[in-house]
Amino acid sequence: MKALRASLLRFDPTTTQAQFEEDGLLVIGPDSRGRQVVQAAGSYSALKDMYAQVPVEHLPGRILAPGFIDMHVHYPQTDIIGAPAAGLLPWLENYTFPAESRFADPAHASAVAEFFLDELARNGVTTALTFATSHPASVDAFFEAAQRRSLRMISGKVLQDRHSPDGVRDDTEQSLLDTESLIRRWHNVDRLGYAITPRFAPTSTDAQLHGAGELAKAHGDTWIHTHVSENKDEVKWVRELFPKARSYLDVYLGFNLMRERAVYAHCIHFDDDDRCLMRDTGAVTAVSPTSNLFLGSGFFDFEGADRIGYRYGLASDVGGGTSFSPFATMMAAYYAGREGQTKPGVSIPPSQLWWHHTAGAARALGLAGGVGNLQPGCEADFLVLNPAATPLLARKTKLADSLEELLFAMIVLGDDRLVERTVISQAMA
């Protein structure tokens, strides 16, 4: 066992309440399977005698916090972050599909996967739900890299058998066979999970969506990962392609793709019937505010989601998103929440922004109690944060009179420099 002494941020496991110890102790040790987990977490004074024989690393001025969870990101789009475009559909045509066509090459896929995982670690992201591409090699490359690093990661082969150019369009029957094979090869291997991944409704035929739904039924503990109601032009296109569906979201319901562990990115252009459908099926939203702002897609309605009572968490959506940094994502979510011209404006408390990127995201993904928190039994994926990492951060955080002020200062002023160390559970034996 090992212990770290520093300030300690965690979340009540039954609420969204942040818990903070100015002088905390985090005790890490193996569980029955040998995996490094949190054995104890709390105030140093309350725990020091109980763990007096455990070596303690003292980190004055630092904060121990759970690793961030990115609920929606595209690892193959790492190299097109910041690519200019008039909107979502031109961006896909001009940048995304040409970049993704290169992932048929396993060597290219492996090189990008390694860089992507380095970038996540540098920014304090320890778990992500990421798209691969339509090429099985892209999935193998990602999972092989994540497995070597002992990471808890979720990914899947993209399904897109129509309205896609050569190089990324797949064959309906073969795409489903490949998905089945990849599920059997990777799902629940070590800390890896598989997501059945239709790109979005317009790029899949009815036959492919039906097959995806059948796979989701046969493999009930997998995830489903796709996009919905991101852009008004996209919504109009879906209405033309699926005229019998009540809404864009209803298309997925018709193919049995809405259930627990179904993650829908964006969910901007929703009505209350859509929100109720999310709640009633257990599906969740990956809110991607930097991407939505960058592509001019709109603003997620936090008030509507909370009023109806369905779950959501935060996501970078790189490469439509403009930063791997959770601090940039939380800041953009705050901006999007405050926007009150197209929807009710809300001011999201800093601790809630942080919760939606850690313990709340874990709950949305069905991983509560495993990752995203520093409660006993949680896997020991955590961060060492330095709130004095830059002169302005040091000055501002020193002036904080409350936890909310401290967290907000780090959200507004933080970047990868704030993350002094990223610790992964399996690597701390």
Side-chain angles (χ1 to χ4, degrees):
M1 277 198 285
K2 179 179 180 179
L4 298 93
R5 181 182 179 184
S7 295
L8 177 63
L9 174 67
R10 55 201 173 117
F11 294 90
D12 186 292
T14 61
T15 70
T16 65
Q17 187 69 36
Q19 300 174 329
F20 190 72
E21 298 287 347
E22 289 280 357
D23 186 12
L25 190 70
L26 180 67
V27 183
I28 306 298
D31 64 6
S32 59
R33 298 170 295 174
R35 181 169 293 165
Q36 298 294 317
V37 300
V38 177
Q39 299 288 342
S43 71
Y44 177 76
S45 61
L47 294 174
K48 63 182 178 68
D49 292 340
M50 189 181 308
Y51 294 95
Q53 304 306 312
V54 177
V56 176
E57 181 181 2
H58 192 198
L59 299 167
R62 304 306 191 262
I63 299 171
L64 305 174
F68 289 106
I69 297 171
D70 192 333
M71 281 188 61
H72 173 69
V73 60
H74 297 249
Y75 101 81
Q77 294 178 14
T78 298
D79 291 335
I80 62 169
I81 189 171
L88 170 65
L89 299 181
W91 182 78
L92 290 171
E93 180 180 354
N94 295 327
Y95 293 102
T96 305
F97 293 149
E100 291 191 4
S101 68
R102 299 183 63 194
F103 283 75
D105 175 6
H108 177 74
S110 179
V112 176
E114 295 289 353
F115 182 88
F116 172 83
L117 292 173
D118 284 346
E119 198 67 13
L120 292 189
R122 197 166 63 82
N123 284 280
V125 176
T126 53
T127 292
L129 171 58
T130 180
F131 266 54
T133 68
S134 56
H135 314 96
S138 71
V139 182
D140 288 332
F142 178 78
F143 279 139
E144 286 165 3
Q147 186 180 39
R148 281 194 298 271
R149 299 173 186 230
S150 299
L151 295 171
R152 182 165 289 286
M153 290 285 160
I154 308 166
S155 188
K157 175 195 141 40
V158 172
L159 301 170
Q160 52 179 123
D161 65 349
R162 67 168 176 172
H163 298 146
S164 305
D166 292 345
V168 295
R169 187 178 62 255
D170 58 14
D171 173 79
T172 307
E173 183 177 1
Q174 189 61 48
S175 72
L176 299 172
L177 292 172
D178 288 340
T179 298
E180 177 80 43
S181 175
L182 289 164
I183 291 170
R184 296 188 184 281
R185 187 181 311 157
W186 290 113
H187 186 55
N188 288 335
V189 173
D190 295 332
R191 303 179 75 203
L192 307 175
Y194 196 88
I196 297 164
T197 311
R199 179 171 220 110
F200 65 148
T203 51
S204 285
T205 60
D206 285 14
Q208 190 173 60
L209 291 171
H210 174 76
E214 290 297 302
L215 286 169
K217 182 179 179 181
H219 302 278
D221 66 341
T222 58
W223 284 263
I224 298 165
H225 187 197
T226 188
H227 303 83
V228 70
S229 298
E230 177 179 1
N231 171 281
K232 287 185 177 180
D233 289 340
E234 169 204 13
V235 172
K236 180 181 177 182
W237 190 20
V238 170
R239 190 177 299 118
E240 294 167 354
L241 293 171
F242 300 93
K244 294 181 180 179
R246 189 201 67 81
S247 69
Y248 188 166
L249 187 65
D250 188 54
V251 172
Y252 295 113
L253 180 68
F255 290 102
N256 298 311
L257 289 167
M258 296 194 70
R259 58 160 168 78
E260 297 280 344
R261 292 195 170 192
V263 180
Y264 285 85
H266 308 300
C267 302
I268 296 171
H269 305 288
F270 266 14
D271 57 22
D272 276 357
D273 286 342
D274 291 323
R275 297 183 184 101
C276 288
L277 184 55
M278 294 288 286
R279 179 196 63 200
D280 295 344
T281 59
V284 299
T285 294
V287 182
S288 307
T290 70
S291 173
N292 300 154
L293 292 167
F294 177 69
L295 293 171
S297 301
F299 303 92
F300 179 75
D301 188 344
F302 291 94
E303 185 276 338
D306 290 340
R307 173 170 45 80
I308 296 300
Y310 79 88
R311 295 177 176 178
Y312 57 88
L314 296 180
S316 70
D317 193 26
V318 165
T322 54
S323 177
F324 283 95
S325 174
F327 304 106
T329 298
M330 291 187 285
M331 188 73 260
Y334 183 78
Y335 292 150
R338 289 292 293 270
E339 191 278 331
Q341 306 304 308
T342 64
K343 59 171 183 55
V346 295
S347 185
I348 306 171
S351 61
Q352 292 303 290
L353 292 168
W354 212 289
W355 182 82
H356 281 299
H357 225 338
T358 55
R363 188 182 74 166
L365 289 173
L367 295 174
V371 291
N373 211 340
L374 293 179
Q375 298 290 346
C378 288
E379 296 169 1
D381 294 341
F382 65 92
L383 312 177
V384 179
L385 303 178
N386 179 8
T390 69
L392 184 55
L393 257 173
R395 185 178 182 88
K396 182 62 179 176
T397 55
K398 188 176 180 179
L399 294 172
D401 288 330
S402 67
L403 176 60
E404 295 296 339
E405 288 185 4
L406 174 63
L407 295 178
F408 202 49
M410 291 191 287
I411 289 170
V412 173
L413 300 174
D415 55 28
D416 58 284
R417 291 170 292 180
L418 181 53
V419 182
E420 186 168 274
R421 192 191 315 173
T422 299
V423 180
I424 299 302
S425 171
Q426 296 285 78
M428 195 180 169

